[in-house]
Amino acid sequence: MALYEYVTRDQLSGFDKYKYSAVDSNPLSVYVMHPFWNSVVKVMPRWLAPNLITFTGFMFLVFNFLMLSFYDYHFDASAEGYTHVPSWVWVAAGLFNFLAYTLDGVDGKQARRTNSSTPLGELFDHGLDSWACVFFVATVYSIFGRGPSGVGVATLYYILWVVLFSFILSHWEKYNTGILFLPWGYDISQVTISIVYIFTAMVGVETWYEPIWWNFHYRDLFTFMILGCSFTVTLPMSLYNVFKASRNNTLKHSSMYEAFLPFLSPVLLCLLSSVWVIFSPSGILQQQPRVFYLMVGTAFANVTCKLIVCQMSNTRCQPLSWLLVPMATVVLLAVTGLVANETLLIYVWTAIVILTHIHYGVSVVKQLSDHFNIFAFSLMKPSTD
């Protein structure tokens, strides 16, 4: 695979000056998870590369997604009258989700323990986190599914977008303030969902059919928790932190246009995908929800990774991601009916988006590895012999 130099010389220079700065004030994280992670990292061998820990954790989430794709491809296995997902799958999903969360918490500690912290490690971690959003949401969806007591695929689509924008808010904050404020909702959601997976294995998906109170179902609680956390905690805290930096004259970007520029490509991506959903001649979201979610989540991750590169290198965010140009053409072909087989179109386009994002990721990792003279998945530096 031919590699392209996506990181500019100015950005490479910015990475040389980069210093990690983050604030984690979540009580669950500070008083429970960090002590647990400190214990875990002590038993890890020192030769284990932090980036390998990061990648392994990410692959647990991918495996969860693939496992549920096999047993519940169209998100209807949890509905009445369908063959339900085996209990052992929920047990595995809970364990893998918690392992992924744990490894995501210890990779940085391992880097500091082995004195191998680099900007590449942080970029690799956060880049995979941005892609993990879609795998996490789609896997959780299988608990409730799209049945009468589940969540509609269109509703889940918009919930996915709430999760994606909640993720990018943290990096938008850092782009403007220079400090990464870790969101409270992440730790709470990861622990809760891991428990819910195990609980589902014990009691069966039928438990979620029953209303909690009157006509208020568990699906409504699921939706309420995500929306409530995003709009009452994540969004207000992000706006407050940026506003506070503005008042203290520590904001990195003086104009409102420059400050909000990182949102242009994600908003355009949301609009393009929503146009496809709304005007699809064959109802593509109803026909292929899993593939559509994967396409949207991967395209979003690609856009977000470019913001993270700019944020870490202290360079200006580009207004438009080039991936949106061919996507606009694809959406036009779909909604106008110029391509009759919409299912084939979404599969082909999703494959292109995934390969494009992987190519971008591999290229950036290779560039930064060469720049810092390190191996991405090893503690050893390459030989100069």
Side-chain angles (χ1 to χ4, degrees), residues 353-384:
V353 171
I354 292 172
L355 292 174
T356 299
H357 186 51
I358 291 174
H359 182 272
Y360 172 80
V362 171
S363 298
V364 170
V365 168
K366 177 67 167 58
Q367 262 192 279
L368 290 178
S369 295
D370 291 344
H371 180 72
F372 289 110
N373 192 33
I374 58 174
F375 283 136
F377 296 99
S378 171
L379 296 177
M380 299 170 57
K381 292 189 176 183
S383 173
T384 55

mmCIF file of all heavy atoms in Angstrom, residues 353-384:
data_model
loop_
_atom_site.group_PDB
_atom_site.id
_atom_site.type_symbol
_atom_site.label_atom_id
_atom_site.label_comp_id
_atom_site.label_asym_id
_atom_site.label_seq_id
_atom_site.Cartn_x
_atom_site.Cartn_y
_atom_site.Cartn_z
ATOM 1 N N VAL A 353 -14.716 4.014 2.316
ATOM 2 C CA VAL A 353 -14.481 4.862 3.493
ATOM 3 C C VAL A 353 -13.559 4.159 4.488
ATOM 4 O O VAL A 353 -12.622 4.767 5.020
ATOM 5 C CB VAL A 353 -15.822 5.234 4.163
ATOM 6 C CG1 VAL A 353 -15.576 5.938 5.506
ATOM 7 C CG2 VAL A 353 -16.639 6.138 3.249
ATOM 8 N N ILE A 354 -13.808 2.879 4.747
ATOM 9 C CA ILE A 354 -12.974 2.126 5.692
ATOM 10 C C ILE A 354 -11.537 2.038 5.205
ATOM 11 O O ILE A 354 -10.585 2.290 5.960
ATOM 12 C CB ILE A 354 -13.553 0.713 5.922
ATOM 13 C CG1 ILE A 354 -14.878 0.794 6.681
ATOM 14 C CG2 ILE A 354 -12.562 -0.170 6.682
ATOM 15 C CD1 ILE A 354 -15.603 -0.536 6.790
ATOM 16 N N LEU A 355 -11.357 1.674 3.931
ATOM 17 C CA LEU A 355 -9.998 1.560 3.381
ATOM 18 C C LEU A 355 -9.290 2.907 3.369
ATOM 19 O O LEU A 355 -8.082 2.993 3.640
ATOM 20 C CB LEU A 355 -10.061 0.970 1.967
ATOM 21 C CG LEU A 355 -10.494 -0.500 1.878
ATOM 22 C CD1 LEU A 355 -10.653 -0.924 0.422
ATOM 23 C CD2 LEU A 355 -9.496 -1.402 2.595
ATOM 24 N N THR A 356 -10.031 3.959 3.053
ATOM 25 C CA THR A 356 -9.459 5.307 3.066
ATOM 26 C C THR A 356 -8.989 5.690 4.460
ATOM 27 O O THR A 356 -7.896 6.244 4.637
ATOM 28 C CB THR A 356 -10.504 6.331 2.569
ATOM 29 O OG1 THR A 356 -10.878 6.020 1.226
ATOM 30 C CG2 THR A 356 -9.949 7.750 2.626
ATOM 31 N N HIS A 357 -9.822 5.389 5.455
ATOM 32 C CA HIS A 357 -9.466 5.739 6.834
ATOM 33 C C HIS A 357 -8.268 4.914 7.321
ATOM 34 O O HIS A 357 -7.378 5.450 7.997
ATOM 35 C CB HIS A 357 -10.665 5.516 7.747
ATOM 36 C CG HIS A 357 -10.427 5.985 9.153
ATOM 37 N ND1 HIS A 357 -9.949 7.243 9.454
ATOM 38 C CD2 HIS A 357 -10.591 5.348 10.356
ATOM 39 C CE1 HIS A 357 -9.823 7.370 10.776
ATOM 40 N NE2 HIS A 357 -10.202 6.233 11.330
ATOM 41 N N ILE A 358 -8.244 3.639 6.983
ATOM 42 C CA ILE A 358 -7.098 2.801 7.374
ATOM 43 C C ILE A 358 -5.823 3.308 6.714
ATOM 44 O O ILE A 358 -4.759 3.393 7.350
ATOM 45 C CB ILE A 358 -7.357 1.319 7.009
ATOM 46 C CG1 ILE A 358 -8.466 0.744 7.893
ATOM 47 C CG2 ILE A 358 -6.080 0.492 7.158
ATOM 48 C CD1 ILE A 358 -8.883 -0.665 7.520
ATOM 49 N N HIS A 359 -5.922 3.664 5.436
ATOM 50 C CA HIS A 359 -4.758 4.208 4.726
ATOM 51 C C HIS A 359 -4.271 5.486 5.393
ATOM 52 O O HIS A 359 -3.054 5.692 5.587
ATOM 53 C CB HIS A 359 -5.115 4.478 3.264
ATOM 54 C CG HIS A 359 -3.969 4.985 2.451
ATOM 55 N ND1 HIS A 359 -3.665 6.333 2.344
ATOM 56 C CD2 HIS A 359 -3.038 4.329 1.709
ATOM 57 C CE1 HIS A 359 -2.598 6.484 1.577
ATOM 58 N NE2 HIS A 359 -2.197 5.287 1.179
ATOM 59 N N TYR A 360 -5.226 6.347 5.772
ATOM 60 C CA TYR A 360 -4.861 7.591 6.455
ATOM 61 C C TYR A 360 -4.152 7.288 7.768
ATOM 62 O O TYR A 360 -3.089 7.842 8.069
ATOM 63 C CB TYR A 360 -6.115 8.426 6.711
ATOM 64 C CG TYR A 360 -5.864 9.640 7.578
ATOM 65 C CD1 TYR A 360 -5.315 10.801 7.041
ATOM 66 C CD2 TYR A 360 -6.155 9.624 8.948
ATOM 67 C CE1 TYR A 360 -5.062 11.908 7.837
ATOM 68 C CE2 TYR A 360 -5.906 10.718 9.743
ATOM 69 C CZ TYR A 360 -5.369 11.861 9.185
ATOM 70 O OH TYR A 360 -5.110 12.955 9.978
ATOM 71 N N GLY A 361 -4.734 6.376 8.561
ATOM 72 C CA GLY A 361 -4.159 6.046 9.858
ATOM 73 C C GLY A 361 -2.769 5.449 9.757
ATOM 74 O O GLY A 361 -1.850 5.855 10.487
ATOM 75 N N VAL A 362 -2.604 4.486 8.859
ATOM 76 C CA VAL A 362 -1.301 3.843 8.679
ATOM 77 C C VAL A 362 -0.263 4.859 8.210
ATOM 78 O O VAL A 362 0.885 4.866 8.674
ATOM 79 C CB VAL A 362 -1.410 2.670 7.681
ATOM 80 C CG1 VAL A 362 -0.025 2.135 7.316
ATOM 81 C CG2 VAL A 362 -2.270 1.551 8.265
ATOM 82 N N SER A 363 -0.665 5.735 7.306
ATOM 83 C CA SER A 363 0.261 6.741 6.775
ATOM 84 C C SER A 363 0.716 7.705 7.855
ATOM 85 O O SER A 363 1.913 8.038 7.952
ATOM 86 C CB SER A 363 -0.405 7.513 5.628
ATOM 87 O OG SER A 363 -0.738 6.663 4.554
ATOM 88 N N VAL A 364 -0.225 8.167 8.679
ATOM 89 C CA VAL A 364 0.118 9.110 9.746
ATOM 90 C C VAL A 364 1.023 8.447 10.785
ATOM 91 O O VAL A 364 2.014 9.037 11.231
ATOM 92 C CB VAL A 364 -1.159 9.668 10.409
ATOM 93 C CG1 VAL A 364 -0.811 10.463 11.669
ATOM 94 C CG2 VAL A 364 -1.925 10.549 9.436
ATOM 95 N N VAL A 365 0.688 7.222 11.169
ATOM 96 C CA VAL A 365 1.524 6.492 12.137
ATOM 97 C C VAL A 365 2.935 6.293 11.575
ATOM 98 O O VAL A 365 3.931 6.469 12.288
ATOM 99 C CB VAL A 365 0.883 5.131 12.496
ATOM 100 C CG1 VAL A 365 1.868 4.255 13.264
ATOM 101 C CG2 VAL A 365 -0.379 5.339 13.327
ATOM 102 N N LYS A 366 3.023 5.941 10.304
ATOM 103 C CA LYS A 366 4.336 5.737 9.670
ATOM 104 C C LYS A 366 5.130 7.046 9.652
ATOM 105 O O LYS A 366 6.338 7.057 9.964
ATOM 106 C CB LYS A 366 4.140 5.220 8.239
ATOM 107 C CG LYS A 366 5.432 5.031 7.434
ATOM 108 C CD LYS A 366 6.283 3.903 8.007
ATOM 109 C CE LYS A 366 7.410 3.491 7.059
ATOM 110 N NZ LYS A 366 8.313 4.594 6.717
ATOM 111 N N GLN A 367 4.466 8.157 9.303
ATOM 112 C CA GLN A 367 5.155 9.440 9.270
ATOM 113 C C GLN A 367 5.708 9.822 10.636
ATOM 114 O O GLN A 367 6.869 10.228 10.769
ATOM 115 C CB GLN A 367 4.185 10.536 8.805
ATOM 116 C CG GLN A 367 4.300 10.891 7.330
ATOM 117 C CD GLN A 367 3.543 12.161 7.018
ATOM 118 O OE1 GLN A 367 2.324 12.127 6.846
ATOM 119 N NE2 GLN A 367 4.246 13.266 6.946
ATOM 120 N N LEU A 368 4.859 9.700 11.650
ATOM 121 C CA LEU A 368 5.283 10.104 12.993
ATOM 122 C C LEU A 368 6.309 9.129 13.567
ATOM 123 O O LEU A 368 7.208 9.542 14.312
ATOM 124 C CB LEU A 368 4.072 10.210 13.912
ATOM 125 C CG LEU A 368 3.128 11.377 13.606
ATOM 126 C CD1 LEU A 368 1.933 11.384 14.539
ATOM 127 C CD2 LEU A 368 3.866 12.714 13.706
ATOM 128 N N SER A 369 6.187 7.845 13.224
ATOM 129 C CA SER A 369 7.191 6.874 13.664
ATOM 130 C C SER A 369 8.549 7.221 13.091
ATOM 131 O O SER A 369 9.573 7.187 13.790
ATOM 132 C CB SER A 369 6.788 5.460 13.234
ATOM 133 O OG SER A 369 5.606 5.041 13.865
ATOM 134 N N ASP A 370 8.573 7.555 11.820
ATOM 135 C CA ASP A 370 9.838 7.951 11.182
ATOM 136 C C ASP A 370 10.360 9.253 11.777
ATOM 137 O O ASP A 370 11.567 9.420 11.996
ATOM 138 C CB ASP A 370 9.634 8.118 9.665
ATOM 139 C CG ASP A 370 9.379 6.792 8.966
ATOM 140 O OD1 ASP A 370 9.650 5.739 9.576
ATOM 141 O OD2 ASP A 370 8.890 6.804 7.816
ATOM 142 N N HIS A 371 9.447 10.169 12.046
ATOM 143 C CA HIS A 371 9.851 11.479 12.561
ATOM 144 C C HIS A 371 10.464 11.358 13.953
ATOM 145 O O HIS A 371 11.489 11.993 14.250
ATOM 146 C CB HIS A 371 8.636 12.418 12.598
ATOM 147 C CG HIS A 371 8.955 13.787 13.115
ATOM 148 N ND1 HIS A 371 9.685 14.709 12.381
ATOM 149 C CD2 HIS A 371 8.659 14.396 14.304
ATOM 150 C CE1 HIS A 371 9.814 15.822 13.079
ATOM 151 N NE2 HIS A 371 9.200 15.657 14.253
ATOM 152 N N PHE A 372 9.837 10.551 14.802
ATOM 153 C CA PHE A 372 10.342 10.382 16.168
ATOM 154 C C PHE A 372 11.349 9.240 16.284
ATOM 155 O O PHE A 372 11.830 8.941 17.381
ATOM 156 C CB PHE A 372 9.180 10.147 17.138
ATOM 157 C CG PHE A 372 8.324 11.367 17.367
ATOM 158 C CD1 PHE A 372 7.040 11.426 16.866
ATOM 159 C CD2 PHE A 372 8.815 12.450 18.067
ATOM 160 C CE1 PHE A 372 6.237 12.541 17.071
ATOM 161 C CE2 PHE A 372 8.030 13.577 18.278
ATOM 162 C CZ PHE A 372 6.739 13.619 17.774
ATOM 163 N N ASN A 373 11.629 8.570 15.152
ATOM 164 C CA ASN A 373 12.608 7.480 15.117
ATOM 165 C C ASN A 373 12.253 6.367 16.111
ATOM 166 O O ASN A 373 13.056 5.950 16.951
ATOM 167 C CB ASN A 373 14.015 8.004 15.421
ATOM 168 C CG ASN A 373 15.086 6.965 15.109
ATOM 169 O OD1 ASN A 373 14.935 6.173 14.181
ATOM 170 N ND2 ASN A 373 16.167 6.979 15.881
ATOM 171 N N ILE A 374 10.970 5.917 16.019
ATOM 172 C CA ILE A 374 10.508 4.856 16.904
ATOM 173 C C ILE A 374 9.698 3.842 16.107
ATOM 174 O O ILE A 374 9.251 4.119 14.993
ATOM 175 C CB ILE A 374 9.618 5.395 18.056
ATOM 176 C CG1 ILE A 374 8.394 6.137 17.466
ATOM 177 C CG2 ILE A 374 10.396 6.270 19.004
ATOM 178 C CD1 ILE A 374 7.398 6.579 18.511
ATOM 179 N N PHE A 375 9.519 2.662 16.685
ATOM 180 C CA PHE A 375 8.576 1.688 16.171
ATOM 181 C C PHE A 375 7.245 1.941 16.873
ATOM 182 O O PHE A 375 7.199 2.108 18.094
ATOM 183 C CB PHE A 375 9.026 0.251 16.449
ATOM 184 C CG PHE A 375 10.108 -0.242 15.553
ATOM 185 C CD1 PHE A 375 11.179 -0.955 16.058
ATOM 186 C CD2 PHE A 375 10.051 0.008 14.193
ATOM 187 C CE1 PHE A 375 12.182 -1.419 15.223
ATOM 188 C CE2 PHE A 375 11.057 -0.447 13.348
ATOM 189 C CZ PHE A 375 12.123 -1.156 13.857
ATOM 190 N N ALA A 376 6.147 1.936 16.133
ATOM 191 C CA ALA A 376 4.845 2.241 16.719
ATOM 192 C C ALA A 376 4.412 1.203 17.740
ATOM 193 O O ALA A 376 3.758 1.516 18.717
ATOM 194 C CB ALA A 376 3.792 2.365 15.621
ATOM 195 N N PHE A 377 4.797 -0.076 17.537
ATOM 196 C CA PHE A 377 4.324 -1.132 18.417
ATOM 197 C C PHE A 377 5.455 -1.797 19.197
ATOM 198 O O PHE A 377 5.401 -2.951 19.550
ATOM 199 C CB PHE A 377 3.565 -2.187 17.608
ATOM 200 C CG PHE A 377 2.312 -1.648 16.981
ATOM 201 C CD1 PHE A 377 2.290 -1.258 15.654
ATOM 202 C CD2 PHE A 377 1.170 -1.515 17.737
ATOM 203 C CE1 PHE A 377 1.137 -0.742 15.095
ATOM 204 C CE2 PHE A 377 0.005 -1.007 17.191
ATOM 205 C CZ PHE A 377 -0.005 -0.619 15.868
ATOM 206 N N SER A 378 6.505 -1.036 19.449
ATOM 207 C CA SER A 378 7.636 -1.585 20.191
ATOM 208 C C SER A 378 8.233 -0.502 21.063
ATOM 209 O O SER A 378 8.091 0.695 20.790
ATOM 210 C CB SER A 378 8.694 -2.131 19.218
ATOM 211 O OG SER A 378 9.863 -2.469 19.895
ATOM 212 N N LEU A 379 8.918 -0.919 22.128
ATOM 213 C CA LEU A 379 9.651 0.026 22.963
ATOM 214 C C LEU A 379 11.040 0.295 22.405
ATOM 215 O O LEU A 379 11.752 1.175 22.885
ATOM 216 C CB LEU A 379 9.779 -0.519 24.391
ATOM 217 C CG LEU A 379 8.463 -0.705 25.161
ATOM 218 C CD1 LEU A 379 8.738 -1.319 26.522
ATOM 219 C CD2 LEU A 379 7.751 0.623 25.317
ATOM 220 N N MET A 380 11.402 -0.462 21.376
ATOM 221 C CA MET A 380 12.741 -0.349 20.819
ATOM 222 C C MET A 380 12.785 0.656 19.677
ATOM 223 O O MET A 380 11.823 0.823 18.937
ATOM 224 C CB MET A 380 13.205 -1.713 20.280
ATOM 225 C CG MET A 380 13.285 -2.818 21.322
ATOM 226 S SD MET A 380 13.550 -4.418 20.542
ATOM 227 C CE MET A 380 15.063 -4.086 19.621
ATOM 228 N N LYS A 381 13.892 1.340 19.538
ATOM 229 C CA LYS A 381 14.096 2.216 18.410
ATOM 230 C C LYS A 381 14.702 1.408 17.249
ATOM 231 O O LYS A 381 15.447 0.447 17.487
ATOM 232 C CB LYS A 381 15.022 3.376 18.772
ATOM 233 C CG LYS A 381 14.395 4.352 19.754
ATOM 234 C CD LYS A 381 15.232 5.588 19.922
ATOM 235 C CE LYS A 381 14.549 6.607 20.826
ATOM 236 N NZ LYS A 381 15.331 7.848 20.945
ATOM 237 N N PRO A 382 14.374 1.794 15.996
ATOM 238 C CA PRO A 382 14.934 1.055 14.873
ATOM 239 C C PRO A 382 16.442 1.185 14.808
ATOM 240 O O PRO A 382 17.020 2.172 15.203
ATOM 241 C CB PRO A 382 14.247 1.702 13.663
ATOM 242 C CG PRO A 382 13.821 3.042 14.122
ATOM 243 C CD PRO A 382 13.511 2.911 15.572
ATOM 244 N N SER A 383 17.049 0.143 14.314
ATOM 245 C CA SER A 383 18.518 0.130 14.198
ATOM 246 C C SER A 383 18.969 1.098 13.126
ATOM 247 O O SER A 383 18.316 1.290 12.105
ATOM 248 C CB SER A 383 18.990 -1.295 13.851
ATOM 249 O OG SER A 383 20.370 -1.275 13.579
ATOM 250 N N THR A 384 20.114 1.718 13.346
ATOM 251 C CA THR A 384 20.681 2.630 12.351
ATOM 252 C C THR A 384 21.802 1.961 11.573
ATOM 253 O O THR A 384 22.512 2.597 10.803
ATOM 254 C CB THR A 384 21.216 3.890 13.046
ATOM 255 O OG1 THR A 384 22.147 3.507 14.063
ATOM 256 C CG2 THR A 384 20.084 4.689 13.690
#
